Structure formats: C-alpha cells, structure tokens
Amino acid sequence: MTTSQLSLGQQIRLVNSESRGAGKRFLFFVLCLAIGVGAVMMIKSFSALLETSIKRESKGLLAADIEIKSSWAQKKEDLAYQQQALPPETRFVFVKELHAMVQLSGQVREGKGSSLLVELKAVPSVPPLYPLYGEIKTQPTLGLPEHFKDNGALVETNFLIKTGLKIGDTFGLGKIRARVSGILEAEPDRISRAFSIGPRVMVSLETLKEAQLIAPGSRVKHRTLIGLPQGENLDRALFTLQGGLTDKAATLRTFEDMQSSLTQSIKRISNYLGTLGVIALLMGGIGVAMIVRTFMSQKLDTIAILTCIGARPKTIFRIYLFQALFLGLAGSLLGIAAGYGLQYLLPPKIEGLLRITLTPEFDWRPAAQALLLGMGTTLLFALWPLVRAVRTKPLRLFRHIAEEEELGKGSRRQRWVVSIIFAAGLAGSIFWQAESVKRGLVFLVALCVAALLLFTISTLVLKLIKRLPPSPLMTRRYGLANLFRPNNQARSIITALGMGIMLVLTIRLVQMDLVSMLKENTKGAPPNYFFIDIQKDQEETFKTVMASTAPEAKVDITPLVRARISQIDDKKIAEWEYTDRAREEWFINREFVLTYSKGVPPPGNEVVDGKWWKPEEASIPQVSLEEDAARRLGAEIGSTLIMEIQGIPIEAPVTSIRKVNWRNMRTNFYMIFSPGALEGAPLTFVASVTVDKAKELEVQTAVVKALPNITALGTRDIIETVETVVGKLLTLVDFMSTFAILSGLIILSGAIASTKFRRLKEAAILKTLGAKQNIVARILAYEYATLGIVAAVVGVILSVGLSWAVMEYAVKSPWHFRPGPISLALIISIILTTITGVLSSLDVLRNKPSLTFRKLDS
C-alpha cells in the first residue's frame, strides 16, 4: 500500500476513521494552537492598524507638510528666503509652545494654591489659520478668530476641573486677564498627552505677546508650519529649505518623518508585546507535541496492523501528518478569528497615550503571517512523535503489549535530522516574528536557557521525590507514584507551566520595581519645585521673594544656555559618520542645555577621568563631559569641543569626564563649562527649591505673583505623570500576559487529556477493587498538586533571577525581593493546577468500571 495507490477521498476517509474517539483530545490540540496564533494575530494586526491610521492621518499628525522647529524665533532673513524660494501659494503658520503659570484671581483652591502650571500654545488668529492639515475640535464649535476675541483662550476639560472655572470666566496669564472661550477637545499635531505636565491652554499669538511671558532665553518651542501647494515635490522643497536656512540649530522634518518616527516607536512596542505572543505560540506547540505523542502512542496497534497489510512508513507518516496539519489549520484559523476580534479590546488600553482614530479592520498580512506561524508550529512539534510512531513493527501485535504506550526512540540519523529541522524552523519562526536577527537571537538564547533550566531542575526534583520514603497515606503514595508512570510527561508539564509562571511573575516584579524606582527618587529630600525661565535681571527679585516667603528653604540657582554641537576635534557634526544612525543621530543633533560652575562638581557628579578646574582657573574656557556623552562623541581628555549658541561658536578643551546620577531629581547636565567659556552667552536660570511641604503652595503663589513669566514645575507632578504613563504601557503587557497564563492552563489540560487512556484503566481497576470516587479524586489531587508545586517553585525562582537581571543590567536600578507577590504567585499556581487537573478528569471519576472497560475494548 503506497500513498500513490490511495485516492484523495480514500486518504480523507482514513484520516477521518483514525480521528474517531479522539474529539476531546483534538479539541485541546486546536485550542493550544489557537491561543498562540491568536496572540500573534492580535499584536500584528493591531500594529498594522496603528501604522495604517498613522499613514492616513500623517499630514495631520504634523499639521503641515514641513515643520521648522527651534528654541528661537526664525531670523527675518530666513523667513524672507523661505517665502521667496517656495511657490507663492505656500502657506506659513507660526506656533509657539511653552509652559506657563496661570493665576486664579488670588483665590486659593483647597489644597491646590492660586496658580496652575499649564502647557501654553499660541497660534495665529488671522489666516492662514492653524492647523494647515487635520482638524481642531472645540466646544462650542466656532472658528479660532471668534474664540480668540478679547483675549479668549481654549482650554482642556482637565483645566476646568482643576481650576473650578467655567466658560466665560477669566484667569491671570502673565500681565493680562484671559477669558475661557471654549473647550479644546482635540489638536491634530498633539498625538499624545502621555507626558503632559499640565493641561493645555491655547491662545492667539497676540494674546501671548500682551501677556509678556517670553523674554530673551525663555524656554519656548518655536514652530513654523509650512503647507505646500498641491503637486509640489516634498523632497525638493525640503532640500531648498535646508540649503537656505542660516539657523543651523533649527530642525526640519516632514510629515513623512513624523510618520516614520511614530511607526518605529510602534514597532518597538509591538516587538516587545509580540515576544509574549511567540511564547504563547511555543507553549501551545509544546501542548501540540504532547497530545500528538500520546495519540500516536494509542495508535501503535493500528500502525502495526497497517504495516502487516503492506503500508509503508512513508504512507502512514503522510496520513497522520495530514491529520495533524488539518487540525493545525483549524487551530490557526480559529486563532486568527479570535485575534482579530480581540484587537477591538486594545484601543481603550492606550487611551491617553495616543490620540489617533483607530477603527479595527481585517488585514490579510498579519493573518497570513499568523497562519504560517501556526502551521509551522504544528509541523515542528508534531514531526518527532510522528517519526517515532510510524516505525512500529508488526511483531508488537504478537507480544501482547497493548497496554504499553511508549514510542520508539528512532535511529540516531532520524534524531539528528529532526533536531536540525526543529532547531532551524524554531529559529526561523522567532527571527521572522522578531523582525531582527539580533533581537531574535537574544530571545532564542533566553528561551532555550530558561527551558533547559526548567527541564533540568524538574528532572532533579522528580528524582528527589522518587527517593523520598513512601508515605503511609495510600492516596498520597499512589498519587506521587503516578508521576513516574511510563509516558507520564511530568517534566514536559512542569516545563510548560514553569515557563508561563516565570513570564507572568517576571513582568509583575519588574513593573513593581519600576514604580518603586520612581517613588524612591522622591526620598532623600529632593527639591519640591523647579522654577524655570528666570531671566538674568530677575535673579535678585527671585532671591528676595524666596527670602521673605521661606527663609529656611534651600535654594540652588543654576545658569542655563541652550546650544548644539558643531564640532569635536576635527569631526564636524554636519559630516558625522554614523555607525548606527538610528541610535546615534538623535544625540549628536539634539539641543543641549549647558551650564557653568565656578566651584566643585555639583552633587551627584563624580569625576572619573581628568580633573576639575580650580577657582582661579575658572576664567579659562574648559568643559567637563558626562561619561556617556564622551563615549558617544568619541571625546577624551584633551579633545576640543565646539558648541554653537544662536549661530555663535564657542570652543573649549575637555579637561574632565564625569559619572552622573541621573535619577537624583536634580538639575543634571551632559556638559558643564567653566564660567570663562560661556562669558557673554544669553543666560537664563533654573532654581531648585527644597522647602517644607506646608510651605509649598505659599512659595509657588508668591513667586508666580511677583514674576508671572516664571514656570513652577512641581516634582510630584512629574512623578505622577511618569507613573501614569508607565501604568498605561504596563496595561498592555498585563493584557498580553493573560495569554501566557491561559496557554499554561490549556497545555496542562491537554497533557491531562493525553494521559486519559491510562487513567481510565487505573480508575476502573481501582473502582473494581472497591475504591470510591473521593479516593480516586484524592490520588489525582496529590499528583497535580505536586506538579503545580514543582512548576510554581521552579518558575518563581527563575522569575526572581530574571527580574533581578532585568533591573540590574537593563534598567540599572535597585531590585527588591517581594515575598508578597511571590507567595501569592506560588499559591495561585498550585491551586489552579490542582483544580484544573481534577476538573479535567471528571469523566474518569464518574464512569462506571464496566463502561470504561467496554470503551477500552471497542
């Protein structure tokens, strides 16, 4: 009998007949695969949905075709060049963004004070109006010119909640009174509110000018939005602007750059979450392997009969492989459908992080990838059990070993070939899913190490249990003995469950340590406030206000200058050769905030190379670099650094390199100059104030009242904002981690079902000998409780080690041992394992012995 002698219909009928009586087992097969495929499908399709939405709204995300952004307003000659070089129909919109303090009529809100930090945005009140692309949504629905009449201001709902104001009320803004004219519901170019320190307030450029909030050196983001005429070449316009822009500190980007940047960020998040999907898929694959193995074990007699009547191993292999692939297709299609449906649950999870309209839709690309991964997983994990089973010899029928369910070991050549195929297929699947050889390799190595540790430790623990003295309690003794029956798969179950427990608990422990890191940064008497944009002529006024309001307060005033790197030694930034452009370019071309210091290095700064200048040497131009900045720039002691401040170059030699504690909640800098290097530079000041909590609101109110242009940034607001963002991001991770838990439970159920044939006989024999249902149930409970205990203990130990490694080497923050969550994870894992095991064996407990034997004989 060969495959060529069988028609397609005959092969299908043979597969169908071989599937009879295995419906529940095959259901576990399908579910194991569907969970993993569903996880992959959900993440991939949601990422594709985000990318599609970004492409659809790409111009609106920038509100322009091209944006020119700088810390200073554009020069007149630059504006004249742009208007002359670009087509006459080109539209220009000028936008200014800054943090500001609003005053609430001197009326102190309960526990909040009489001033509030806001994110202020000023746009034109005459055409061309903001935005050039996209839509601004307001209530009531009026045009911006009408909203901005009589110093009108649009505010977010959160502003009204925090201030207690309503539409029509007024508030202090610098030197004027502004009027709440409406509610600002959406801005097209504000895609995220994640890191908003205060509520948005939008006013006209004229209102901002009247408020006199901006002085030379103030921290303001100046944006020029450019709308090109229809059909104008974007790249040509960008090249024209770059060639004529004299302000080299300004940055230009197009809506395509915005789209690319967001897409890359989404890919990084999806790759991380996709890792969980891959783990769920691989754990499902383990379940598939165990189910196929046991199913084929029970088909050994059938295979021996087929061999007797002339069937070749290839024929038998193809028949059962066809059966496995059919089930794999069913599981993959079910997973694709579930993953598509589940993506509807994800948009609410990122609410507040991204302000993009998301309408879930079916995309064939992630569906095709998930389908191929599902079928590939089926083939990889079913291959070895099939190869071992089809080599069954006809002699088996005459040795009366029908109860033995062991598969053959296969030849050495077969083991090598299948191992190579499995390793290559697994690596290929992971690399494809990770979309990077490097990320895939890291994940693959970590996965293999974790699986090897779990398997090794479970083997040692099971050997230890086997050597323990027999328990005097019969049910316990029998339950533990079941762990060592032939084809028990205890190690596989422990490995699969331990992997899931390790993953979920590691995520939770790292999350808790991240939140702790943020909270610990508030200890050690950090500053209560940072007061920014203090002008040079306001320094003494600020000191006077602080002395009269809170003379006991600790006040540190630091000078600031904004600049960009122009050259390091003979390497010009404009001609910089990047090793990894994606990782290096942002740092090399960023705007740096500089300071100078006459005395010793600031707290939290340790000189690790070179030496700090003496007070008498402070007039000589020198610079101290932070160690990471020095490494990125390729600088060392003696290197010459040239910075550009508003087009004016300053030069200084590197005389020291520092190690900086960036988490000390103080003003830290990549570059600290000697006073002589920054002489004559346009300075502003930032003050850090440490004051008793009871005095916080009084200090904020006094400073803002005396100097309305100054912004008070509370450290508690910063910490709460970061915690909110971290919490929202971890919600996604928590959501995905449920797949790992579900995978573990399904795999356990599948493993239990895969040993059902043996348990039916045991239960029938025990009941025939007089054992009651509760006795059999206790035996099962002891067996599964032991599996749960071993899996939980090993998984928890590995999660503790893994979370420590993540915090120590990736986050570089203190790790904490947390007995509470660890103990809870142990208890829940053991209870779930035991309950799932017993519930999955209900039919074993309920069936009468006669019914069981009839099933076995049929």
Side-chain angles (χ1 to χ4, degrees):
M1 182 191 300
T2 63
T3 307
S4 60
Q5 294 171 332
L6 297 175
S7 66
L8 179 61
Q10 289 173 324
Q11 293 181 52
I12 292 175
R13 283 196 296 273
L14 186 55
V15 168
N16 182 56
S17 65
E18 285 299 286
S19 301
R20 290 171 187 167
K24 292 183 179 179
R25 186 175 298 111
F26 286 164
L27 177 61
F28 284 121
F29 184 115
V30 171
L31 288 177
C32 282
L33 203 59
I35 290 172
V37 172
V40 172
M41 173 64 183
M42 181 178 65
I43 292 301
K44 289 293 180 184
S45 59
F46 190 68
S47 298
L49 173 64
L50 283 172
E51 291 178 19
T52 301
S53 300
I54 288 170
K55 288 178 182 178
R56 184 176 61 244
E57 303 178 23
S58 55
K59 287 191 176 184
L61 295 175
L62 193 63
D65 289 300
I66 301 174
E67 176 197 67
I68 302 174
K69 184 170 66 174
S70 177
S71 295
W72 303 279
Q74 285 206 73
K75 300 176 183 178
K76 291 182 179 179
E77 52 266 35
D78 282 344
L79 290 173
Y81 169 79
Q82 293 160 18
Q83 292 170 350
Q84 181 182 359
L86 295 175
E89 299 85 3
T90 302
R91 296 167 294 162
F92 294 85
V93 169
F94 303 98
V95 177
K96 297 180 181 180
E97 297 178 352
L98 64 152
H99 283 97
M101 303 297 294
V102 300
Q103 300 178 63
L104 305 171
S105 304
Q107 182 179 2
V108 178
R109 297 165 295 145
E110 184 179 353
K112 296 292 183 182
S114 61
S115 57
L116 177 69
L117 176 67
V118 300
E119 291 187 339
L120 190 64
K121 185 173 189 174
V123 299
S125 58
V126 295
L129 295 172
Y130 163 89
L132 295 175
Y133 299 102
E135 181 184 4
I136 183 170
K137 296 181 180 179
T138 64
Q139 284 294 338
T141 307
L142 301 172
L144 288 183
E146 294 181 68
H147 275 298
F148 290 155
K149 285 180 181 177
D150 303 322
N151 291 334
L154 289 166
V155 300
E156 284 185 324
T157 304
N158 196 31
F159 177 88
L160 300 180
I161 294 172
K162 288 187 173 184
T163 61
L165 299 178
K166 58 184 183 297
I167 294 177
D169 291 343
T170 64
F171 58 89
L173 185 67
K175 301 290 186 181
I176 64 169
R177 300 289 300 176
R179 174 181 54 85
V180 178
S181 62
I183 297 173
L184 181 62
E185 294 184 333
E187 308 161 67
D189 55 343
R190 193 186 188 198
I191 63 165
S192 173
R193 292 183 297 181
F195 289 98
S196 299
I197 301 300
R200 170 72 88 196
V201 172
M202 183 181 288
V203 298
S204 67
L205 290 169
E206 293 79 6
T207 297
L208 178 63
K209 186 176 181 181
E210 289 180 36
Q212 299 180 30
L213 290 173
I214 300 177
S218 293
R219 194 174 186 275
V220 183
K221 181 164 62 178
H222 297 264
R223 298 171 59 205
T224 302
L225 306 180
I226 301 175
L228 299 174
Q230 187 73 26
E232 179 68 16
N233 186 279
L234 180 66
D235 292 333
R236 183 173 58 200
L238 183 64
F239 181 77
T240 300
L241 291 173
Q242 288 173 332
L245 192 64
T246 61
D247 183 4
K248 301 303 179 184
T251 58
L252 288 88
R253 64 174 176 173
T254 68
F255 70 89
E256 291 180 347
D257 296 328
M258 185 72 169
Q259 172 185 318
S260 175
S261 175
L262 278 173
T263 301
Q264 289 300 318
S265 298
I266 289 166
K267 280 186 176 180
R268 283 194 290 270
I269 296 173
S270 66
N271 284 335
Y272 175 65
L273 294 177
T275 303
L276 301 179
V278 173
I279 290 175
L281 186 61
L282 294 178
M283 291 175 66
I286 295 171
V288 166
M290 291 191 294
I291 293 167
V292 170
R293 173 186 172 184
T294 303
F295 176 74
M296 295 309 298
S297 295
Q298 296 177 22
K299 290 294 179 180
L300 293 180
D301 288 343
T302 303
I303 293 171
I305 294 171
L306 289 173
T307 304
C308 284
I309 61 176
R312 295 179 181 177
K314 283 186 178 180
T315 303
I316 301 170
F317 176 79
R318 289 173 183 171
I319 293 297
Y320 286 106
L321 179 62
F322 182 77
Q323 183 184 58
L325 291 177
F326 177 78
L327 292 171
L329 178 62
S332 298
L333 293 176
L334 178 61
I336 289 170
Y340 170 68
L342 286 171
Q343 71 169 315
Y344 282 85
L345 301 177
L346 284 178
K349 303 292 181 185
I350 62 171
E351 186 177 349
L353 290 177
L354 294 176
R355 304 183 70 173
I356 300 173
T357 303
L358 298 174
T359 306
E361 54 191 28
F362 186 80
D363 191 333
W364 67 268
R365 291 169 299 175
Q369 183 173 354
L371 178 62
L372 289 174
L373 284 170
M375 296 301 292
T377 301
T378 302
L379 181 61
L380 287 176
F381 284 90
L383 187 60
W384 181 233
L386 291 176
V387 169
R388 294 174 63 187
V390 298
R391 291 291 176 179
T392 302
K393 297 179 180 180
L395 192 59
R396 171 186 174 88
L397 294 173
F398 304 101
R399 288 186 174 174
H400 304 289
I401 54 172
E403 291 188 358
E404 188 175 336
E405 299 175 12
E406 290 296 331
L407 301 178
K409 294 183 178 179
S411 66
R412 179 178 295 181
R413 180 176 175 274
Q414 287 176 333
R415 291 197 295 269
W416 274 104
V417 170
V418 173
S419 296
I420 291 172
I421 293 174
F422 180 82
L426 182 63
S429 299
I430 290 175
F431 290 154
W432 187 27
Q433 175 73 355
E435 299 181 357
S436 164
V437 174
K438 184 178 179 181
R439 284 195 302 268
L441 190 61
V442 170
F443 177 73
L444 184 62
V445 170
L447 183 70
C448 291
V449 169
L452 183 62
L453 284 173
L454 277 163
F455 195 80
T456 303
I457 294 173
S458 63
T459 301
L460 295 174
V461 172
L462 287 172
K463 285 184 177 180
L464 179 63
I465 292 175
K466 192 173 184 179
R467 293 185 178 183
L468 292 175
S471 172
L473 193 62
M474 185 274 291
T475 51
R476 184 188 304 167
R477 185 171 63 252
Y478 201 105
L480 293 179
N482 282 345
L483 297 173
F484 309 102
R485 68 160 64 88
N487 201 27
N488 63 84
Q489 301 180 1
R491 288 178 296 181
S492 300
I493 297 172
I494 292 171
T495 300
L497 282 176
M499 189 78 75
I501 293 167
M502 178 191 72
L503 171 70
V504 176
L505 186 56
T506 297
I507 293 169
R508 179 59 59 195
L509 293 177
V510 170
Q511 173 189 355
M512 297 178 74
D513 275 339
L514 287 173
V515 174
S516 294
M517 178 187 74
L518 297 172
K519 291 181 177 179
E520 284 174 7
N521 286 337
T522 64
K523 298 178 182 178
N528 305 74
Y529 284 105
F530 290 100
F531 291 97
I532 60 177
D533 284 344
I534 303 173
Q535 302 301 307
K536 214 169 187 178
D537 59 354
Q538 295 177 326
E539 184 181 4
E540 291 303 320
T541 303
F542 177 80
K543 290 179 179 179
T544 302
V545 171
M546 288 302 306
S548 60
T549 308
E552 75 286 356
K554 181 183 178 182
V555 181
D556 292 319
I557 300 180
T558 306
L560 303 179
V561 182
R562 290 175 177 82
R564 293 180 184 270
I565 303 174
S566 175
Q567 186 174 332
I568 179 74
D569 292 329
D570 59 345
K571 295 184 291 186
K572 295 183 179 179
I573 298 304
E575 303 167 359
W576 195 269
E577 295 181 2
Y578 298 99
T579 304
D580 186 344
R581 193 178 192 94
R583 291 178 176 270
E584 298 173 7
E585 188 174 26
W586 73 272
F587 185 85
I588 300 298
N589 293 287
R590 63 170 287 174
E591 181 183 70
F592 288 88
V593 178
L594 317 178
T595 190
Y596 65 77
S597 176
K598 183 181 292 185
V600 297
N605 288 252
E606 177 189 354
V607 175
V608 294
D609 193 11
K611 62 178 183 177
W612 193 264
W613 48 82
K614 298 176 181 177
E616 58 269 21
E617 299 171 337
S619 59
I620 304 171
Q622 299 174 69
V623 62
S624 175
L625 290 180
E626 186 269 343
E627 58 182 354
D628 183 58
R631 180 184 58 80
R632 290 173 181 269
L633 295 173
E636 55 188 22
I637 303 300
S639 294
T640 301
L641 177 66
I642 301 177
M643 304 294 294
E644 192 175 86
I645 303 176
Q646 295 188 14
I648 301 173
I650 62 165
E651 181 177 323
V654 177
T655 56
S656 66
I657 294 175
R658 294 166 291 114
K659 182 177 182 179
V660 178
N661 176 15
W662 291 101
R663 290 195 290 269
N664 61 10
M665 289 294 289
R666 300 183 184 278
T667 48
N668 295 303
F669 301 88
Y670 281 111
M671 305 167 189
I672 300 179
F673 286 78
S674 62
L678 298 180
E679 188 175 357
L683 297 175
T684 58
F685 296 87
V686 60
S688 61
V689 175
T690 304
V691 66
D692 186 80
K693 185 177 180 180
K695 280 271 191 177
E696 282 184 0
L697 296 180
E698 185 180 349
V699 166
Q700 176 182 318
T701 302
V703 171
V704 173
K705 185 176 181 180
L707 302 168
N709 66 291
I710 290 179
T711 301
L713 199 58
T715 55
R716 286 186 179 84
D717 293 334
I718 299 173
I719 292 168
E720 287 174 4
T721 300
V722 175
E723 284 182 345
T724 300
V725 174
V726 170
K728 285 186 175 293
L729 290 175
L730 288 171
T731 298
L732 287 175
V733 178
D734 290 343
F735 183 77
M736 281 304 303
S737 67
T738 59
F739 280 95
I741 300 172
L742 187 57
S743 297
L745 291 176
I746 294 296
I747 289 167
L748 173 61
S749 300
I752 294 166
S754 70
T755 59
K756 188 72 63 70
F757 181 75
R758 184 63 152 224
R759 296 179 191 284
L760 285 171
K761 296 179 183 180
E762 292 172 357
I765 293 170
L766 288 172
K767 287 183 178 180
T768 301
L769 294 174
K772 296 181 179 180
Q773 284 188 6
N774 64 336
I775 297 295
V776 180
R778 286 180 195 172
I779 292 172
L780 293 174
Y782 276 118
E783 179 178 355
Y784 295 122
T786 304
L787 288 173
I789 290 170
V790 176
V793 170
V794 177
V796 165
I797 291 173
L798 288 178
S799 70
V800 168
L802 185 57
S803 64
W804 172 83
V806 170
M807 294 304 298
E808 185 72 19
Y809 296 106
V811 183
K812 296 183 178 179
S813 180
W815 173 85
H816 302 85
F817 179 71
R818 302 183 182 277
I822 290 172
S823 301
L824 187 62
L826 274 170
I827 295 169
I828 290 176
S829 301
I830 295 167
I831 292 175
L832 284 178
T833 305
T834 307
I835 291 176
T836 306
V838 174
L839 290 179
S840 298
S841 302
L842 283 179
D843 58 340
V844 176
L845 300 173
R846 290 173 178 172
N847 285 348
K848 294 182 179 180
S850 57
L851 178 61
T852 300
F853 286 126
R854 280 199 297 271
K855 285 185 177 180
L856 294 175
D857 293 334
S858 60

